[in-house]
């Protein structure tokens, strides 16, 4: 399947490939045809062939932030581009170019082993490096956008490779230019810029509490983040899940004040000027969904933001439960929850 670019065409695709191990929700799904992309050079001729035959296509990385249908039509590109290269390192910053198929958590762990700290708060997030800019992954007070210098991708619209700067990526909360333009870009590499001047990021309440009056090392923060995530989120190898299924909704200060008057225990955080971010997990919990099970799917009993697949659950099951939650939260609080994973 991983042939030279000159011969990587539809003829090299594998028919009816099972994707159970390529999505963390554990949905039984298969691709009508799939091909592993291990080198960016494979992409141009393959896309040309796909377009010539008028076939639908999609990209799949680690499958940690997707809801897959029972069948993915057309051609599925499985991105396994590997490699890590330190482009430069001086007294102020380090530039590292990373293949899109690299596992995110392993990459974060590698940066610490190389004494390039900064991204330790983003430990244990499942998925690949190539997927990280699309969703602008974030956790415990940090977003990956803070570290991205540029993103290299194949632009299916322009039929060529492009490099988008951090600004051109248009990063926002769980959003980016890539997410706003689905099925246009195939991300091949991401370049990260890590400043040499390091300071711990301890704005997240549990980290602040754990390291109160301390000066933790990057590795200590990394280990703490891993422990916190493990205590709240199920291992997808044991219980299928896509992590947080809903975004924390952003509302105006006025609406937040009105809700706080009605629900004094409501959890919120400051966002942009005049806005606050509500804890979606708290909203869902108050609506009685935490730990609730409907057939093969349910809401995790330790974190209401996480929908789980107990086995045999389909996209229809997961999205049906999500709709029930959205409707109840809207009815109770007047707040619309947005689904975080990409729905294929």
């Amino acid at each position: 399947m991983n042939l030279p670019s000159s011969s990587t065409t539809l003829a090299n695709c594998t028919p009816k490939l099972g994707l159970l191990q390529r999505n963390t929700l554990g949905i039984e799904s298969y691709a009508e045809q799939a091909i592993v992309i291990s080198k960016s050079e494979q992409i141009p001729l393959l896309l040309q062939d796909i377009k010539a035959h008028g076939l639908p296509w999609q990209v799949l990385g680690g499958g940690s932030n997707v809801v897959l249908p029972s069948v993915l039509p057309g051609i599925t590109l499985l991105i396994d581009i590997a490699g890590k290269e330190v482009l430069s390192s001086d007294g102020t910053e380090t530039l590292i170019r990373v293949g899109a198929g690299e596992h995110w958590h392993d990459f974060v762990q590698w940066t610490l082993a190389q004494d390039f700290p900064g991204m330790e708060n983003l430990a244990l997030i499942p998925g690949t490096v190539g997927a990280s800019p699309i969703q602008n992954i974030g956790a415990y007070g940090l977003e990956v956008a803070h570290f991205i210098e540029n993103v290299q991708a194949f632009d299916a619209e322009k039929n060529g490779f492009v490099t988008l700067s951090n600004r051109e990526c248009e990063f926002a909360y769980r959003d980016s230019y890539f997410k706003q333009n689905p099925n246009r870009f195939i991300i091949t590499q991401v370049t990260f810029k890590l400043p040499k001047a390091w300071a711990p990021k301890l704005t997240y309440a549990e980290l602040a509490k754990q390291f109160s009056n301390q000066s933790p090392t990057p590795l200590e923060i990394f280990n703490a983040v891993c422990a916190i995530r493990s205590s709240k989120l199920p291992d997808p190898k044991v219980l299928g899940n896509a992590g947080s299924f809903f975004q924390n909704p952003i509302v105006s200060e006025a609406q937040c004040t009105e809700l706080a008057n009605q629900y004094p225990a409501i959890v919120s955080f400051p966002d942009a000027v005049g806005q606050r971010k509500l804890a979606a997990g708290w909203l869902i919990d108050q609506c009685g969904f935490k730990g609730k099970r409907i057939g093969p799917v349910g809401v995790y009993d330790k974190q209401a933001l996480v929908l789980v697949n107990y086995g045999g659950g389909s996209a229809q099951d997961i999205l049906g439960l999500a709709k029930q939650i959205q409707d109840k939260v809207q009815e109770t609080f007047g707040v619309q929850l947005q689904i975080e994973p990409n729905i294929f």
Side-chain angles (χ1 to χ4, degrees), residues 181-199:
N181 291 272
N183 236 41
R184 175 177 170 180
F185 297 99
I186 303 171
I187 294 175
T188 56
Q189 295 176 314
V190 182
T191 300
F192 296 89
K193 180 168 66 176
L194 302 179
K196 284 294 179 70
W198 178 85

Side-chain angles (χ1 to χ4, degrees), residues 145-301:
H146 182 73
F147 303 101
I148 290 179
E149 174 74 0
N150 58 58
V151 176
Q152 297 87 57
F154 184 83
D155 186 339
E157 189 175 289
K158 295 182 178 179
N159 290 312
F161 288 99
V162 296
T163 298
L164 280 75
S165 67
N166 183 290
R167 180 185 59 80
E168 290 171 320
C169 291
E170 296 182 6
F171 291 120
Y173 173 60
R174 300 299 180 267
D175 200 8
S176 69
Y177 187 65
F178 307 105
K179 190 172 182 180
Q180 294 300 319
N181 291 272
N183 236 41
R184 175 177 170 180
F185 297 99
I186 303 171
I187 294 175
T188 56
Q189 295 176 314
V190 182
T191 300
F192 296 89
K193 180 168 66 176
L194 302 179
K196 284 294 179 70
W198 178 85
K201 182 75 172 177
L202 303 175
T203 54
Y204 184 74
E206 289 189 52
L207 289 177
K209 181 179 179 181
Q210 181 167 341
F211 296 112
S212 176
N213 300 318
Q214 297 182 44
S215 298
T217 65
L219 184 58
E220 287 173 333
I221 295 174
F222 173 90
N223 290 331
V225 167
C226 289
I228 294 170
R229 288 188 69 90
S230 296
S231 69
K232 291 184 174 183
L233 302 172
D235 183 344
K237 295 177 182 177
V238 178
L239 186 59
N241 73 93
S244 298
F245 204 84
F246 300 99
Q247 297 179 13
N248 289 322
I250 297 171
V251 300
S252 66
E253 288 274 10
Q255 185 178 0
C256 187
T257 299
E258 185 178 332
L259 285 169
N261 289 335
Q262 192 173 356
Y263 305 97
I266 195 168
V267 180
S268 70
F269 314 93
D271 194 63
V273 176
Q275 295 181 320
R276 290 190 71 83
K277 188 179 294 182
L278 303 180
W282 186 90
L283 301 176
I284 297 167
D285 192 4
Q286 298 308 300
C287 290
F289 282 99
K290 191 174 182 179
K292 185 175 182 178
R293 178 171 178 171
I294 300 177
V297 302
V299 179
Y300 192 45
D301 58 4

Side-chain angles (χ1 to χ4, degrees), residues 23-192:
N23 77 100
T24 61
L25 259 172
I27 291 176
E28 293 276 2
S29 176
Y30 73 86
E32 283 187 340
Q33 295 188 76
I35 186 164
V36 172
I37 302 297
S38 59
K39 296 181 179 180
S40 58
E41 293 84 359
Q42 293 174 258
I43 298 172
L45 189 60
L46 179 60
L47 258 290
Q48 180 182 320
D49 206 10
I50 289 172
K51 289 181 178 181
H53 286 79
L55 294 171
W57 60 277
Q58 53 275 319
V59 173
L60 186 61
S64 62
N65 196 49
V66 298
V67 181
L68 298 183
S70 57
V71 180
L72 274 177
I75 312 299
T76 300
L77 280 61
L78 304 173
I79 306 300
D80 282 356
I81 299 171
K84 298 183 288 287
E85 179 186 3
V86 178
L87 300 178
S88 64
S89 187
D90 55 27
T92 59
E93 63 190 30
T94 300
L95 288 178
I96 310 168
R97 186 165 57 204
V98 188
E102 290 283 346
H103 188 271
W104 174 261
H105 174 71
D106 291 348
F107 168 55
V108 173
Q109 200 165 28
W110 177 86
T111 62
L112 295 183
Q114 304 301 311
D115 195 25
F116 302 140
M119 296 194 293
E120 52 279 345
N121 292 51
L122 302 178
L124 213 61
I125 296 177
T128 59
V129 167
S132 66
I134 299 173
Q135 191 74 6
N136 185 18
I137 60 172
Y140 306 106
L142 278 181
E143 290 183 339
V144 73
H146 182 73
F147 303 101
I148 290 179
E149 174 74 0
N150 58 58
V151 176
Q152 297 87 57
F154 184 83
D155 186 339
E157 189 175 289
K158 295 182 178 179
N159 290 312
F161 288 99
V162 296
T163 298
L164 280 75
S165 67
N166 183 290
R167 180 185 59 80
E168 290 171 320
C169 291
E170 296 182 6
F171 291 120
Y173 173 60
R174 300 299 180 267
D175 200 8
S176 69
Y177 187 65
F178 307 105
K179 190 172 182 180
Q180 294 300 319
N181 291 272
N183 236 41
R184 175 177 170 180
F185 297 99
I186 303 171
I187 294 175
T188 56
Q189 295 176 314
V190 182
T191 300
F192 296 89

